Amino acid sequence: MSANDSKREDVSKCKVARFGNKKVIKYSDEYHHQRTKNNESVKNSRLKAKERQKETESRMNKLAEDNRVLTERVDTLMKELQVLQSLYKELGQELPADAVQALKQINIQ
């Protein structure tokens, strides 16, 4: 039996871990090095995921606030429009043609 054969037998008796396509003997220095690298990668990946989640949440909150402001603006403009329409009715006048056309474009009559 040659030295290589005995080495193969020793390796086959040991527990082996895989890192990609690479086989590494468990609890060896190389194994611990690979585990350390993997643990750092996992840690960094989780930190990035948390950052992305916070950014998404922040953006969502900003968009919700913008939406609330715009909805309030629409409500205010609709009330203003109703007041102006009622004033025209009270005066017995027709709305200007361009105003009527603009209201039709946005489905308000």
Side-chain angles (χ1 to χ4, degrees):
M1 192 182 277
S2 69
N4 282 342
D5 290 337
S6 65
K7 195 174 186 181
R8 283 187 191 145
E9 280 183 26
D10 290 342
V11 169
S12 65
K13 291 178 186 177
C14 297
K15 291 186 177 184
V16 176
R18 289 182 157 265
F19 289 97
N21 291 333
K22 191 174 184 180
K23 289 183 181 179
V24 178
I25 298 172
K26 273 195 167 185
Y27 311 113
S28 66
D29 289 341
E30 187 177 5
Y31 173 81
H32 286 292
H33 175 71
Q34 291 290 349
R35 289 299 319 146
T36 303
K37 278 178 54 177
N38 182 260
N39 289 344
E40 284 295 317
S41 293
V42 168
K43 183 180 175 181
N44 290 336
S45 176
R46 288 179 180 157
L47 284 174
K48 284 181 184 177
K50 281 183 183 178
E51 286 178 21
R52 281 193 305 269
Q53 177 65 26
K54 284 182 182 178
E55 287 172 5
T56 301
E57 210 170 291
S58 173
R59 186 162 187 262
M60 185 184 73
N61 290 337
K62 184 186 181 320
L63 290 172
E65 177 62 21
D66 290 350
N67 189 39
R68 186 190 63 76
V69 168
L70 290 172
T71 301
E72 286 177 4
R73 176 85 170 128
V74 167
D75 290 343
T76 303
L77 290 173
M78 290 299 291
K79 288 175 185 173
E80 189 176 319
L81 177 63
Q82 288 173 349
V83 168
L84 291 173
Q85 284 177 330
S86 66
L87 285 174
Y88 269 97
K89 279 185 181 178
E90 283 181 24
L91 294 173
Q93 294 184 359
E94 293 290 321
L95 287 172
D98 56 341
V100 171
Q101 187 175 359
L103 291 173
K104 283 181 182 176
Q105 285 180 346
I106 57 173
N107 293 326
I108 299 175
Q109 309 232 348

